[in-house]
Structure formats: C-alpha cells, structure tokens
Amino acid sequence: MAERTFNIVCGHYGCGKSNYAVNLALKMAKEGRKVMLVDLDLVNPYFLSSGCTKLLEDNGIRVIAPMFANTNVETPALPAELNLMFETDMDVVLDVGGDDAGAVVLGRYASQLANIEYEMTYVVNKYRNLTATVEDTVQIVREIEAASRCKATKVVNNSHLKQETTWSTIKDAIEYGDAVAKELGLPLEEITVPSFIYKDEQAVNEMNSMDRKFTSVEIHVKAPWEYT
C-alpha cells in the first residue's frame, strides 16, 4: 500500500467541491484504501459532504465534521477531534468551505500542514456566479490561498449545470478550464462528467477521441429540497 495522501478540496460556493470530495473519497475506498473525510465547510449549510455520512460510512469511510457545521456560528472553536486528520494513517479528504471566508478555518492548521505533503485541488465551475470568467476564477483561488496560507497544486474542471448538464455543457467549458490552469501555472487534473452523460453514445465516442482525462462522478451532494 502506498503512503497515505492528504487531499484538500477547495473552490467557490456552488462549484461542486463537496460533491467532488465525496466522489474522491468513495473512489479511494473502492481502491482498497482507508479513507477519512473531514468536512470543514462551516459556511454553506445546504451543500455539505457530511450530509452523505451514511453513504460514506457504508463504504468504510470515517467522517469527521464539527457539530456546528450547519449552524450560523461565525467563529467556532474547532473540536480536538479534527486533529485526528494529522495523526491518522488513513488517507484524508478535506472539504474546505467556499472562498476566503471558509478557508480561514483551514488557516488555523497552517503550521501542521506546513509539515506534510498535501495536494490542494481547486475545483472550478464556469457556470457558477462570480467564476464565469478566467480572471474572476483566478482571483477566487488567490483569496483562498491567502486566507488558508496553503497553495493550490492542481485544478479540476467541474463545470456543470446539475441535472440539466449535457455533453455540450461539458465541451463548452473545456477551454475555460484550460485557461484557468494555464493562468495559475497548475496542471489540469481532470474534467468531471456526471455519470448520466455516459448514456449518450456520441458523448462517449467524443470523449474517447480527445486527449483528455474525463472522470465520471455521481451527484451525491444535494440541497435538502432536491432529495425525493
């Protein structure tokens, strides 16, 4: 078994970072790795990775989330249990709150993070407010880096429109993702594609013809009113 990994997932509100974090944790667990998901998104009360706790735990993933993660507490005292992410031998997936406001919480652990090797994935979505342009998207990550005192190491293009996503939605955002990565001087790790798009044979054929890494994701994280 390879050495454990420490994966920080950040991004603008509504970009789908929590859903990406859940998919990443599940993928790692299916590969036979021991995984801990830490939900540090204390800002958005609706789209939380810890909202998928049962699904995650059913797949052998340990979930740690502050009790106040879905409250309006502005300056919470973080529980000691969160320090387990630095003491465990498990792979860690850390879901950070959107923008600089959420990243301030991560900044409290800057000294511990300085002593370990981590990957910090910046999840971007062309179809979200305030990140429709490359310039705005780059500005957001700079604010996150300043607040968290951590540096992004790669970009994931997660441009989508939830259930209204089509293959054209994905294709039309490819250039945007490339431009963001280039401007940041970071590698574009992958382009996420909702799993239902793979039912479109033409879409699959086009993906296979491109020199790109497309990754299928399930939509697990939803607002309470989206569950049926």
Side-chain angles (χ1 to χ4, degrees), residues 66-100:
M67 292 294 292
F68 43 74
N70 59 352
T71 72
N72 60 359
V73 176
E74 294 183 357
T75 55
L78 301 178
E81 184 184 29
L82 288 176
N83 287 312
L84 290 176
M85 62 181 163
F86 299 109
E87 301 166 4
T88 182
D89 62 351
M90 306 173 80
D91 291 305
V92 173
V93 176
L94 180 56
D95 179 13
V96 181
D99 299 355
D100 56 332

PDB file of all heavy atoms in Angstrom, residues 66-100:
ATOM      1  N   PRO A  66     -17.565  18.979  12.413  1.00  0.00           N
ATOM      2  CA  PRO A  66     -17.968  19.700  13.613  1.00  0.00           C
ATOM      3  C   PRO A  66     -19.483  19.693  13.758  1.00  0.00           C
ATOM      4  O   PRO A  66     -20.207  19.772  12.762  1.00  0.00           O
ATOM      5  CB  PRO A  66     -17.435  21.118  13.385  1.00  0.00           C
ATOM      6  CG  PRO A  66     -16.324  20.940  12.404  1.00  0.00           C
ATOM      7  CD  PRO A  66     -16.757  19.813  11.517  1.00  0.00           C
ATOM      8  N   MET A  67     -19.971  19.629  14.983  1.00  0.00           N
ATOM      9  CA  MET A  67     -21.405  19.623  15.222  1.00  0.00           C
ATOM     10  C   MET A  67     -22.070  20.895  14.709  1.00  0.00           C
ATOM     11  O   MET A  67     -23.246  20.910  14.396  1.00  0.00           O
ATOM     12  CB  MET A  67     -21.679  19.492  16.726  1.00  0.00           C
ATOM     13  CG  MET A  67     -21.285  18.147  17.303  1.00  0.00           C
ATOM     14  SD  MET A  67     -22.295  16.800  16.631  1.00  0.00           S
ATOM     15  CE  MET A  67     -23.880  17.194  17.361  1.00  0.00           C
ATOM     16  N   PHE A  68     -21.292  21.993  14.612  1.00  0.00           N
ATOM     17  CA  PHE A  68     -21.856  23.273  14.206  1.00  0.00           C
ATOM     18  C   PHE A  68     -21.672  23.541  12.727  1.00  0.00           C
ATOM     19  O   PHE A  68     -21.798  24.672  12.276  1.00  0.00           O
ATOM     20  CB  PHE A  68     -21.206  24.408  14.996  1.00  0.00           C
ATOM     21  CG  PHE A  68     -19.720  24.250  15.121  1.00  0.00           C
ATOM     22  CD1 PHE A  68     -18.883  24.482  14.041  1.00  0.00           C
ATOM     23  CD2 PHE A  68     -19.164  23.828  16.313  1.00  0.00           C
ATOM     24  CE1 PHE A  68     -17.522  24.323  14.158  1.00  0.00           C
ATOM     25  CE2 PHE A  68     -17.795  23.659  16.439  1.00  0.00           C
ATOM     26  CZ  PHE A  68     -16.976  23.909  15.372  1.00  0.00           C
ATOM     27  N   ALA A  69     -21.357  22.500  11.956  1.00  0.00           N
ATOM     28  CA  ALA A  69     -21.085  22.714  10.533  1.00  0.00           C
ATOM     29  C   ALA A  69     -22.280  23.277   9.786  1.00  0.00           C
ATOM     30  O   ALA A  69     -22.134  23.921   8.762  1.00  0.00           O
ATOM     31  CB  ALA A  69     -20.659  21.400   9.880  1.00  0.00           C
ATOM     32  N   ASN A  70     -23.494  23.050  10.288  1.00  0.00           N
ATOM     33  CA  ASN A  70     -24.674  23.569   9.586  1.00  0.00           C
ATOM     34  C   ASN A  70     -25.405  24.616  10.425  1.00  0.00           C
ATOM     35  O   ASN A  70     -26.604  24.764  10.339  1.00  0.00           O
ATOM     36  CB  ASN A  70     -25.629  22.430   9.239  1.00  0.00           C
ATOM     37  CG  ASN A  70     -26.091  21.683  10.487  1.00  0.00           C
ATOM     38  OD1 ASN A  70     -25.586  21.915  11.577  1.00  0.00           O
ATOM     39  ND2 ASN A  70     -27.059  20.800  10.313  1.00  0.00           N
ATOM     40  N   THR A  71     -24.653  25.359  11.242  1.00  0.00           N
ATOM     41  CA  THR A  71     -25.244  26.415  12.042  1.00  0.00           C
ATOM     42  C   THR A  71     -24.718  27.756  11.568  1.00  0.00           C
ATOM     43  O   THR A  71     -23.918  27.843  10.651  1.00  0.00           O
ATOM     44  CB  THR A  71     -24.890  26.233  13.537  1.00  0.00           C
ATOM     45  OG1 THR A  71     -23.503  26.544  13.720  1.00  0.00           O
ATOM     46  CG2 THR A  71     -25.157  24.815  13.999  1.00  0.00           C
ATOM     47  N   ASN A  72     -25.143  28.834  12.254  1.00  0.00           N
ATOM     48  CA  ASN A  72     -24.678  30.169  11.878  1.00  0.00           C
ATOM     49  C   ASN A  72     -23.600  30.672  12.823  1.00  0.00           C
ATOM     50  O   ASN A  72     -23.396  31.879  12.955  1.00  0.00           O
ATOM     51  CB  ASN A  72     -25.861  31.141  11.827  1.00  0.00           C
ATOM     52  CG  ASN A  72     -26.557  31.241  13.179  1.00  0.00           C
ATOM     53  OD1 ASN A  72     -26.175  30.588  14.144  1.00  0.00           O
ATOM     54  ND2 ASN A  72     -27.595  32.075  13.237  1.00  0.00           N
ATOM     55  N   VAL A  73     -22.890  29.768  13.500  1.00  0.00           N
ATOM     56  CA  VAL A  73     -21.798  30.171  14.376  1.00  0.00           C
ATOM     57  C   VAL A  73     -20.690  30.784  13.527  1.00  0.00           C
ATOM     58  O   VAL A  73     -20.220  30.172  12.568  1.00  0.00           O
ATOM     59  CB  VAL A  73     -21.247  28.960  15.160  1.00  0.00           C
ATOM     60  CG1 VAL A  73     -20.041  29.383  16.004  1.00  0.00           C
ATOM     61  CG2 VAL A  73     -22.334  28.373  16.061  1.00  0.00           C
ATOM     62  N   GLU A  74     -20.283  31.999  13.846  1.00  0.00           N
ATOM     63  CA  GLU A  74     -19.336  32.714  12.995  1.00  0.00           C
ATOM     64  C   GLU A  74     -17.885  32.420  13.328  1.00  0.00           C
ATOM     65  O   GLU A  74     -17.037  32.348  12.443  1.00  0.00           O
ATOM     66  CB  GLU A  74     -19.598  34.222  13.092  1.00  0.00           C
ATOM     67  CG  GLU A  74     -20.958  34.629  12.516  1.00  0.00           C
ATOM     68  CD  GLU A  74     -21.151  36.128  12.556  1.00  0.00           C
ATOM     69  OE1 GLU A  74     -20.254  36.814  13.076  1.00  0.00           O
ATOM     70  OE2 GLU A  74     -22.183  36.599  12.088  1.00  0.00           O
ATOM     71  N   THR A  75     -17.559  32.243  14.606  1.00  0.00           N
ATOM     72  CA  THR A  75     -16.167  31.991  14.992  1.00  0.00           C
ATOM     73  C   THR A  75     -16.116  30.771  15.903  1.00  0.00           C
ATOM     74  O   THR A  75     -15.892  30.887  17.108  1.00  0.00           O
ATOM     75  CB  THR A  75     -15.565  33.209  15.711  1.00  0.00           C
ATOM     76  OG1 THR A  75     -16.396  33.549  16.835  1.00  0.00           O
ATOM     77  CG2 THR A  75     -15.457  34.384  14.772  1.00  0.00           C
ATOM     78  N   PRO A  76     -16.363  29.606  15.354  1.00  0.00           N
ATOM     79  CA  PRO A  76     -16.445  28.396  16.168  1.00  0.00           C
ATOM     80  C   PRO A  76     -15.092  27.976  16.737  1.00  0.00           C
ATOM     81  O   PRO A  76     -14.047  28.211  16.139  1.00  0.00           O
ATOM     82  CB  PRO A  76     -16.958  27.352  15.178  1.00  0.00           C
ATOM     83  CG  PRO A  76     -16.441  27.839  13.862  1.00  0.00           C
ATOM     84  CD  PRO A  76     -16.538  29.330  13.933  1.00  0.00           C
ATOM     85  N   ALA A  77     -15.141  27.356  17.900  1.00  0.00           N
ATOM     86  CA  ALA A  77     -13.944  26.744  18.468  1.00  0.00           C
ATOM     87  C   ALA A  77     -13.886  25.327  17.925  1.00  0.00           C
ATOM     88  O   ALA A  77     -14.758  24.507  18.196  1.00  0.00           O
ATOM     89  CB  ALA A  77     -14.042  26.734  19.994  1.00  0.00           C
ATOM     90  N   LEU A  78     -12.881  25.027  17.129  1.00  0.00           N
ATOM     91  CA  LEU A  78     -12.818  23.737  16.455  1.00  0.00           C
ATOM     92  C   LEU A  78     -12.498  22.626  17.450  1.00  0.00           C
ATOM     93  O   LEU A  78     -11.575  22.759  18.257  1.00  0.00           O
ATOM     94  CB  LEU A  78     -11.761  23.791  15.347  1.00  0.00           C
ATOM     95  CG  LEU A  78     -12.017  24.846  14.283  1.00  0.00           C
ATOM     96  CD1 LEU A  78     -10.895  24.851  13.261  1.00  0.00           C
ATOM     97  CD2 LEU A  78     -13.350  24.626  13.590  1.00  0.00           C
ATOM     98  N   PRO A  79     -13.237  21.531  17.415  1.00  0.00           N
ATOM     99  CA  PRO A  79     -13.037  20.444  18.373  1.00  0.00           C
ATOM    100  C   PRO A  79     -11.713  19.723  18.164  1.00  0.00           C
ATOM    101  O   PRO A  79     -11.184  19.653  17.050  1.00  0.00           O
ATOM    102  CB  PRO A  79     -14.225  19.514  18.087  1.00  0.00           C
ATOM    103  CG  PRO A  79     -14.578  19.784  16.665  1.00  0.00           C
ATOM    104  CD  PRO A  79     -14.323  21.252  16.458  1.00  0.00           C
ATOM    105  N   ALA A  80     -11.191  19.170  19.241  1.00  0.00           N
ATOM    106  CA  ALA A  80      -9.899  18.489  19.189  1.00  0.00           C
ATOM    107  C   ALA A  80      -9.924  17.294  18.244  1.00  0.00           C
ATOM    108  O   ALA A  80      -8.882  16.905  17.711  1.00  0.00           O
ATOM    109  CB  ALA A  80      -9.504  18.038  20.597  1.00  0.00           C
ATOM    110  N   GLU A  81     -11.109  16.715  18.020  1.00  0.00           N
ATOM    111  CA  GLU A  81     -11.224  15.544  17.152  1.00  0.00           C
ATOM    112  C   GLU A  81     -10.691  15.818  15.754  1.00  0.00           C
ATOM    113  O   GLU A  81     -10.194  14.915  15.080  1.00  0.00           O
ATOM    114  CB  GLU A  81     -12.681  15.090  17.071  1.00  0.00           C
ATOM    115  CG  GLU A  81     -12.866  13.812  16.263  1.00  0.00           C
ATOM    116  CD  GLU A  81     -14.326  13.420  16.100  1.00  0.00           C
ATOM    117  OE1 GLU A  81     -15.168  14.337  16.099  1.00  0.00           O
ATOM    118  OE2 GLU A  81     -14.608  12.220  15.977  1.00  0.00           O
ATOM    119  N   LEU A  82     -10.759  17.081  15.325  1.00  0.00           N
ATOM    120  CA  LEU A  82     -10.288  17.414  13.985  1.00  0.00           C
ATOM    121  C   LEU A  82      -8.783  17.190  13.837  1.00  0.00           C
ATOM    122  O   LEU A  82      -8.286  16.984  12.731  1.00  0.00           O
ATOM    123  CB  LEU A  82     -10.634  18.860  13.646  1.00  0.00           C
ATOM    124  CG  LEU A  82     -12.116  19.152  13.389  1.00  0.00           C
ATOM    125  CD1 LEU A  82     -12.343  20.632  13.165  1.00  0.00           C
ATOM    126  CD2 LEU A  82     -12.634  18.354  12.202  1.00  0.00           C
ATOM    127  N   ASN A  83      -8.066  17.207  14.936  1.00  0.00           N
ATOM    128  CA  ASN A  83      -6.621  16.975  14.869  1.00  0.00           C
ATOM    129  C   ASN A  83      -6.282  15.548  14.459  1.00  0.00           C
ATOM    130  O   ASN A  83      -5.138  15.252  14.106  1.00  0.00           O
ATOM    131  CB  ASN A  83      -5.970  17.296  16.214  1.00  0.00           C
ATOM    132  CG  ASN A  83      -5.910  18.793  16.475  1.00  0.00           C
ATOM    133  OD1 ASN A  83      -5.507  19.560  15.614  1.00  0.00           O
ATOM    134  ND2 ASN A  83      -6.349  19.199  17.652  1.00  0.00           N
ATOM    135  N   LEU A  84      -7.278  14.662  14.503  1.00  0.00           N
ATOM    136  CA  LEU A  84      -7.040  13.270  14.101  1.00  0.00           C
ATOM    137  C   LEU A  84      -6.601  13.175  12.641  1.00  0.00           C
ATOM    138  O   LEU A  84      -5.937  12.224  12.253  1.00  0.00           O
ATOM    139  CB  LEU A  84      -8.305  12.432  14.320  1.00  0.00           C
ATOM    140  CG  LEU A  84      -8.704  12.158  15.774  1.00  0.00           C
ATOM    141  CD1 LEU A  84     -10.037  11.412  15.812  1.00  0.00           C
ATOM    142  CD2 LEU A  84      -7.617  11.356  16.477  1.00  0.00           C
ATOM    143  N   MET A  85      -6.974  14.181  11.834  1.00  0.00           N
ATOM    144  CA  MET A  85      -6.582  14.112  10.424  1.00  0.00           C
ATOM    145  C   MET A  85      -5.071  14.186  10.252  1.00  0.00           C
ATOM    146  O   MET A  85      -4.543  13.767   9.223  1.00  0.00           O
ATOM    147  CB  MET A  85      -7.270  15.219   9.621  1.00  0.00           C
ATOM    148  CG  MET A  85      -6.939  16.628  10.021  1.00  0.00           C
ATOM    149  SD  MET A  85      -7.870  17.803   8.984  1.00  0.00           S
ATOM    150  CE  MET A  85      -7.730  19.310   9.966  1.00  0.00           C
ATOM    151  N   PHE A  86      -4.365  14.699  11.256  1.00  0.00           N
ATOM    152  CA  PHE A  86      -2.910  14.760  11.186  1.00  0.00           C
ATOM    153  C   PHE A  86      -2.248  13.569  11.882  1.00  0.00           C
ATOM    154  O   PHE A  86      -1.053  13.343  11.722  1.00  0.00           O
ATOM    155  CB  PHE A  86      -2.402  16.057  11.818  1.00  0.00           C
ATOM    156  CG  PHE A  86      -2.903  17.282  11.127  1.00  0.00           C
ATOM    157  CD1 PHE A  86      -3.842  18.102  11.727  1.00  0.00           C
ATOM    158  CD2 PHE A  86      -2.460  17.610   9.854  1.00  0.00           C
ATOM    159  CE1 PHE A  86      -4.317  19.234  11.082  1.00  0.00           C
ATOM    160  CE2 PHE A  86      -2.928  18.740   9.203  1.00  0.00           C
ATOM    161  CZ  PHE A  86      -3.866  19.555   9.817  1.00  0.00           C
ATOM    162  N   GLU A  87      -3.031  12.811  12.645  1.00  0.00           N
ATOM    163  CA  GLU A  87      -2.484  11.713  13.428  1.00  0.00           C
ATOM    164  C   GLU A  87      -2.803  10.343  12.833  1.00  0.00           C
ATOM    165  O   GLU A  87      -2.162   9.354  13.153  1.00  0.00           O
ATOM    166  CB  GLU A  87      -3.032  11.786  14.860  1.00  0.00           C
ATOM    167  CG  GLU A  87      -2.697  13.104  15.566  1.00  0.00           C
ATOM    168  CD  GLU A  87      -3.509  13.310  16.830  1.00  0.00           C
ATOM    169  OE1 GLU A  87      -4.281  12.405  17.197  1.00  0.00           O
ATOM    170  OE2 GLU A  87      -3.369  14.388  17.443  1.00  0.00           O
ATOM    171  N   THR A  88      -3.792  10.286  11.963  1.00  0.00           N
ATOM    172  CA  THR A  88      -4.223   9.016  11.397  1.00  0.00           C
ATOM    173  C   THR A  88      -3.270   8.508  10.322  1.00  0.00           C
ATOM    174  O   THR A  88      -2.517   9.291   9.721  1.00  0.00           O
ATOM    175  CB  THR A  88      -5.635   9.152  10.798  1.00  0.00           C
ATOM    176  OG1 THR A  88      -6.065   7.886  10.288  1.00  0.00           O
ATOM    177  CG2 THR A  88      -5.634  10.161   9.643  1.00  0.00           C
ATOM    178  N   ASP A  89      -3.327   7.202  10.067  1.00  0.00           N
ATOM    179  CA  ASP A  89      -2.579   6.633   8.947  1.00  0.00           C
ATOM    180  C   ASP A  89      -3.486   6.483   7.728  1.00  0.00           C
ATOM    181  O   ASP A  89      -3.102   5.922   6.714  1.00  0.00           O
ATOM    182  CB  ASP A  89      -1.977   5.280   9.324  1.00  0.00           C
ATOM    183  CG  ASP A  89      -3.042   4.238   9.671  1.00  0.00           C
ATOM    184  OD1 ASP A  89      -4.233   4.603   9.784  1.00  0.00           O
ATOM    185  OD2 ASP A  89      -2.680   3.053   9.838  1.00  0.00           O
ATOM    186  N   MET A  90      -4.708   7.001   7.828  1.00  0.00           N
ATOM    187  CA  MET A  90      -5.663   6.925   6.731  1.00  0.00           C
ATOM    188  C   MET A  90      -5.411   8.033   5.723  1.00  0.00           C
ATOM    189  O   MET A  90      -4.833   9.071   6.038  1.00  0.00           O
ATOM    190  CB  MET A  90      -7.101   7.043   7.271  1.00  0.00           C
ATOM    191  CG  MET A  90      -7.458   6.057   8.372  1.00  0.00           C
ATOM    192  SD  MET A  90      -9.088   6.390   9.099  1.00  0.00           S
ATOM    193  CE  MET A  90     -10.141   5.645   7.848  1.00  0.00           C
ATOM    194  N   ASP A  91      -5.867   7.812   4.483  1.00  0.00           N
ATOM    195  CA  ASP A  91      -5.897   8.898   3.508  1.00  0.00           C
ATOM    196  C   ASP A  91      -6.937   9.908   3.970  1.00  0.00           C
ATOM    197  O   ASP A  91      -8.003   9.532   4.470  1.00  0.00           O
ATOM    198  CB  ASP A  91      -6.296   8.375   2.124  1.00  0.00           C
ATOM    199  CG  ASP A  91      -5.224   7.501   1.508  1.00  0.00           C
ATOM    200  OD1 ASP A  91      -4.082   7.963   1.398  1.00  0.00           O
ATOM    201  OD2 ASP A  91      -5.534   6.358   1.153  1.00  0.00           O
ATOM    202  N   VAL A  92      -6.645  11.174   3.800  1.00  0.00           N
ATOM    203  CA  VAL A  92      -7.559  12.231   4.231  1.00  0.00           C
ATOM    204  C   VAL A  92      -8.072  13.010   3.029  1.00  0.00           C
ATOM    205  O   VAL A  92      -7.303  13.386   2.150  1.00  0.00           O
ATOM    206  CB  VAL A  92      -6.866  13.198   5.214  1.00  0.00           C
ATOM    207  CG1 VAL A  92      -7.760  14.399   5.522  1.00  0.00           C
ATOM    208  CG2 VAL A  92      -6.491  12.473   6.505  1.00  0.00           C
ATOM    209  N   VAL A  93      -9.386  13.219   3.000  1.00  0.00           N
ATOM    210  CA  VAL A  93     -10.014  14.127   2.034  1.00  0.00           C
ATOM    211  C   VAL A  93     -10.631  15.239   2.862  1.00  0.00           C
ATOM    212  O   VAL A  93     -11.526  15.001   3.673  1.00  0.00           O
ATOM    213  CB  VAL A  93     -11.091  13.418   1.190  1.00  0.00           C
ATOM    214  CG1 VAL A  93     -11.782  14.424   0.267  1.00  0.00           C
ATOM    215  CG2 VAL A  93     -10.485  12.286   0.377  1.00  0.00           C
ATOM    216  N   LEU A  94     -10.131  16.451   2.684  1.00  0.00           N
ATOM    217  CA  LEU A  94     -10.543  17.595   3.499  1.00  0.00           C
ATOM    218  C   LEU A  94     -11.362  18.567   2.651  1.00  0.00           C
ATOM    219  O   LEU A  94     -10.847  19.171   1.708  1.00  0.00           O
ATOM    220  CB  LEU A  94      -9.297  18.281   4.055  1.00  0.00           C
ATOM    221  CG  LEU A  94      -9.473  19.515   4.940  1.00  0.00           C
ATOM    222  CD1 LEU A  94     -10.370  19.204   6.135  1.00  0.00           C
ATOM    223  CD2 LEU A  94      -8.114  19.994   5.426  1.00  0.00           C
ATOM    224  N   ASP A  95     -12.643  18.686   2.963  1.00  0.00           N
ATOM    225  CA  ASP A  95     -13.556  19.553   2.227  1.00  0.00           C
ATOM    226  C   ASP A  95     -13.596  20.915   2.913  1.00  0.00           C
ATOM    227  O   ASP A  95     -14.099  21.049   4.024  1.00  0.00           O
ATOM    228  CB  ASP A  95     -14.950  18.908   2.209  1.00  0.00           C
ATOM    229  CG  ASP A  95     -15.982  19.751   1.474  1.00  0.00           C
ATOM    230  OD1 ASP A  95     -15.594  20.701   0.777  1.00  0.00           O
ATOM    231  OD2 ASP A  95     -17.188  19.446   1.610  1.00  0.00           O
ATOM    232  N   VAL A  96     -13.049  21.931   2.239  1.00  0.00           N
ATOM    233  CA  VAL A  96     -12.907  23.267   2.822  1.00  0.00           C
ATOM    234  C   VAL A  96     -14.041  24.169   2.357  1.00  0.00           C
ATOM    235  O   VAL A  96     -14.489  24.093   1.213  1.00  0.00           O
ATOM    236  CB  VAL A  96     -11.557  23.888   2.415  1.00  0.00           C
ATOM    237  CG1 VAL A  96     -11.397  25.276   3.032  1.00  0.00           C
ATOM    238  CG2 VAL A  96     -10.413  22.980   2.845  1.00  0.00           C
ATOM    239  N   GLY A  97     -14.494  25.049   3.239  1.00  0.00           N
ATOM    240  CA  GLY A  97     -15.567  25.984   2.907  1.00  0.00           C
ATOM    241  C   GLY A  97     -15.215  26.897   1.753  1.00  0.00           C
ATOM    242  O   GLY A  97     -14.042  27.181   1.502  1.00  0.00           O
ATOM    243  N   GLY A  98     -16.212  27.373   1.047  1.00  0.00           N
ATOM    244  CA  GLY A  98     -16.006  28.178  -0.146  1.00  0.00           C
ATOM    245  C   GLY A  98     -15.368  29.525   0.116  1.00  0.00           C
ATOM    246  O   GLY A  98     -15.642  30.177   1.123  1.00  0.00           O
ATOM    247  N   ASP A  99     -14.514  29.931  -0.797  1.00  0.00           N
ATOM    248  CA  ASP A  99     -13.890  31.247  -0.788  1.00  0.00           C
ATOM    249  C   ASP A  99     -13.050  31.494   0.458  1.00  0.00           C
ATOM    250  O   ASP A  99     -12.794  30.610   1.256  1.00  0.00           O
ATOM    251  CB  ASP A  99     -14.946  32.330  -0.961  1.00  0.00           C
ATOM    252  CG  ASP A  99     -15.684  32.199  -2.283  1.00  0.00           C
ATOM    253  OD1 ASP A  99     -15.308  31.325  -3.084  1.00  0.00           O
ATOM    254  OD2 ASP A  99     -16.631  32.952  -2.518  1.00  0.00           O
ATOM    255  N   ASP A 100     -12.606  32.760   0.616  1.00  0.00           N
ATOM    256  CA  ASP A 100     -11.695  33.065   1.709  1.00  0.00           C
ATOM    257  C   ASP A 100     -12.350  32.931   3.073  1.00  0.00           C
ATOM    258  O   ASP A 100     -11.687  32.594   4.060  1.00  0.00           O
ATOM    259  CB  ASP A 100     -11.101  34.472   1.540  1.00  0.00           C
ATOM    260  CG  ASP A 100     -12.162  35.548   1.419  1.00  0.00           C
ATOM    261  OD1 ASP A 100     -13.262  35.241   0.940  1.00  0.00           O
ATOM    262  OD2 ASP A 100     -11.872  36.693   1.795  1.00  0.00           O
TER     263      ASP A 100
END
